[in-house]
């Protein structure tokens, strides 16, 4: 069933687990995520970036997501990932997304608060949840790139002011992760997660979570992370499976045969993540 982000993440916040938010661009990815969620009895978030919406079209993504949610026997959120402007967010709300992210992290604190409040006023009026980002997460997520030099960790006092003034449903924090493939091992600032959790007492979101060691993820969840975004790990599972299949079956021209192992590989990764995040068995 389709549920809001707030509904799902409040439960995770109260009970101390995290829900996986996986990026979708096509039918096979949506199916892989839903099959993994049903197999592990896990709530799940299907999220599309602006790049994903540009690739598939907002209508295709919205309808695919809503259809998958309607038919699933676990709670499913259809979420906009890193929405950067007001119009983009409104378009997704109009197409039935149950949750949106407004990423105002390129603005100063006042500007970020202002655009987040503007989105929340409309979104909450129609029952849609809102995630915002405070601090700057490094790396590249589709069209958004933040250099290592520009990445800044979230300040706990600013986080408190931000959530009090905006009434946002969940907050993405910058604590040492980055979007894309890591060069070295990421070092998470666990104390910062703990302090932000204590001071805000609300669902917190970890972006750039692909490639973060399992132990670090577990610790982040134990300290208060409730939504974990995964894109790169799924891309890698997909791409590696396609490459291997094509190498072993160079004469095959059937898209269904080529994509079947990619879907299976993504599903396997997602099942592992759901168990690791603690969402398995929580549907
Ligand atoms: O918003 C999406 C995520 O933060 C994905 O990050 O590609 O490093 O897994 P990732
Ligand atoms: Zn992200």
């Amino acid at each position: 069933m389709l549920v809001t982000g707030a509904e799902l993440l409040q439960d995770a916040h109260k009970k101390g687990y995290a829900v996986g938010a996986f990026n979708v661009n096509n039918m096979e990815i949506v199916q892989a995520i839903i099959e993994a969620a049903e197999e592990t009895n896990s709530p799940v978030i299907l999220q599309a970036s602006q790049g994903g919406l540009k690739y598939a079209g907002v209508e295709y993504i919205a309808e695919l997501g809503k259809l998958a949610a309607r038919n699933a026997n676990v709670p499913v959120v259809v979420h906009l990932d890193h929405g950067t402007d007001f119009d983009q967010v409104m378009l997704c709300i109009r197409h039935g997304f149950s949750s949106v992210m407004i990423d105002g992290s390129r603005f100063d604190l006042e500007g970020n608060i202002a655009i987040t409040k503007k989105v929340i006023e409309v979104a909450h009026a129609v029952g849609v949840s809102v995630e915002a980002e405070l601090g700057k997460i490094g790396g590249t997520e589709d069209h958004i790139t933040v250099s290592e030099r520009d990445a800044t960790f979230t300040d706990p006092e600013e986080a408190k002011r931000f959530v009090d003034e905006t009434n946002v449903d969940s907050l993405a924090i910058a604590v040492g992760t980055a979007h894309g493939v890591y060069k070295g091992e990421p070092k998470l600032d666990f104390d910062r997660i703990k302090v932000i959790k204590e001071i805000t007492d609300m669902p917190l979101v970890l972006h750039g979570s692909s490639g973060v060691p399992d132990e670090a993820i577990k610790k982040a969840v134990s300290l208060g992370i409730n939504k974990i975004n995964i894109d790169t790990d799924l891309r890698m599972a997909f791409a590696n499976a396609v490459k291997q299949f094509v190498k072993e079956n160079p004469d095959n021209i059937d898209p269904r045969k080529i994509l079947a192992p990619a879907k299976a590989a993504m599903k396997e990764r997602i099942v592992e993540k759901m168990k690791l995040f603690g969402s398995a068995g929580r549907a």
Side-chain angles (χ1 to χ4, degrees):
M1 77 221 71
L2 182 69
V3 298
T4 64
E7 210 176 309
L8 219 84
L9 295 181
Q10 274 302 328
D11 189 68
H13 169 59
K14 276 186 210 120
K15 297 178 184 160
Y17 65 93
V19 181
F22 303 97
N23 283 75
V24 301
N25 302 297
N26 66 17
M27 183 188 75
E28 284 77 10
I29 304 178
V30 170
Q31 290 176 332
I33 298 167
I34 296 295
E35 284 175 24
E38 289 186 329
E39 201 172 290
T40 57
N41 196 32
S42 172
V44 72
I45 298 169
L46 302 175
Q47 63 182 14
S49 66
Q50 290 181 161
L53 296 176
K54 198 169 168 208
Y55 167 75
V58 63
E59 280 173 301
Y60 268 97
I61 292 287
E63 295 309 316
L64 266 176
K66 286 186 290 180
L67 176 70
R70 229 179 11 250
N71 291 342
N73 56 27
V74 292
V76 178
V77 173
V78 178
H79 175 73
L80 167 66
D81 186 31
H82 292 286
T84 50
D85 67 277
F86 185 76
D87 293 356
Q88 176 76 62
V89 174
M90 291 305 116
L91 191 69
C92 290
I93 292 177
R94 186 172 148 80
H95 280 89
F97 281 52
S98 58
S99 176
V100 290
M101 175 181 187
I102 176 67
D103 179 351
S105 61
R106 67 192 180 285
F107 300 120
D108 62 9
L109 181 62
E110 304 301 330
N112 195 350
I113 289 175
I115 192 167
T116 303
K117 276 175 91 166
K118 192 172 159 193
V119 163
I120 286 176
E121 194 181 345
V122 181
H124 282 182
V126 292
V128 171
S129 313
V130 179
E131 171 185 339
E133 176 174 323
L134 187 64
K136 280 196 185 76
I137 295 155
T140 300
E141 171 70 15
D142 270 343
H143 303 315
I144 305 169
T145 298
V146 175
S147 71
E148 226 171 275
R149 199 167 46 99
D150 288 339
T152 38
F153 283 12
T154 308
D155 178 81
E157 293 299 331
E158 281 191 7
K160 173 73 178 148
R161 185 178 151 208
F162 188 92
V163 301
D164 284 351
E165 286 192 28
T166 59
N167 196 25
V168 74
D169 299 294
S170 60
L171 186 68
I173 54 173
V175 288
T177 56
H179 292 122
V181 181
Y182 287 99
K183 288 188 205 101
E185 193 175 293
K187 294 265 170 292
L188 271 66
D189 187 342
F190 295 111
D191 289 340
R192 194 173 293 267
I193 299 175
K194 189 169 178 271
V195 172
I196 297 173
K197 187 70 168 187
E198 277 164 8
I199 205 166
T200 61
D201 190 25
M202 66 176 300
L204 299 178
V205 183
L206 191 67
H207 282 244
S209 309
S210 296
V212 177
D214 287 1
E215 284 314 308
I217 289 284
K218 269 196 204 157
K219 192 163 177 191
V221 173
S222 77
L223 293 171
I225 293 294
N226 304 113
K227 173 176 181 272
I228 300 185
N229 286 15
I230 299 285
D231 187 6
T232 301
D233 274 349
L234 296 196
R235 291 179 182 209
M236 280 181 355
F238 186 100
N240 290 340
V242 169
K243 283 182 210 163
Q244 194 186 336
F245 180 85
V246 171
K247 198 173 157 202
E248 287 166 6
N249 305 273
D251 297 328
N252 197 295
I253 56 152
D254 186 341
R256 294 168 299 187
K257 296 258 163 50
I258 297 169
L259 292 179
K263 181 178 152 185
M266 284 188 294
K267 181 181 165 187
E268 206 181 302
R269 292 296 286 132
I270 299 162
V271 165
E272 288 165 10
K273 301 278 182 200
M274 288 170 165
K275 290 179 181 164
L276 176 68
F277 300 166
S279 69
R282 306 276 190 172

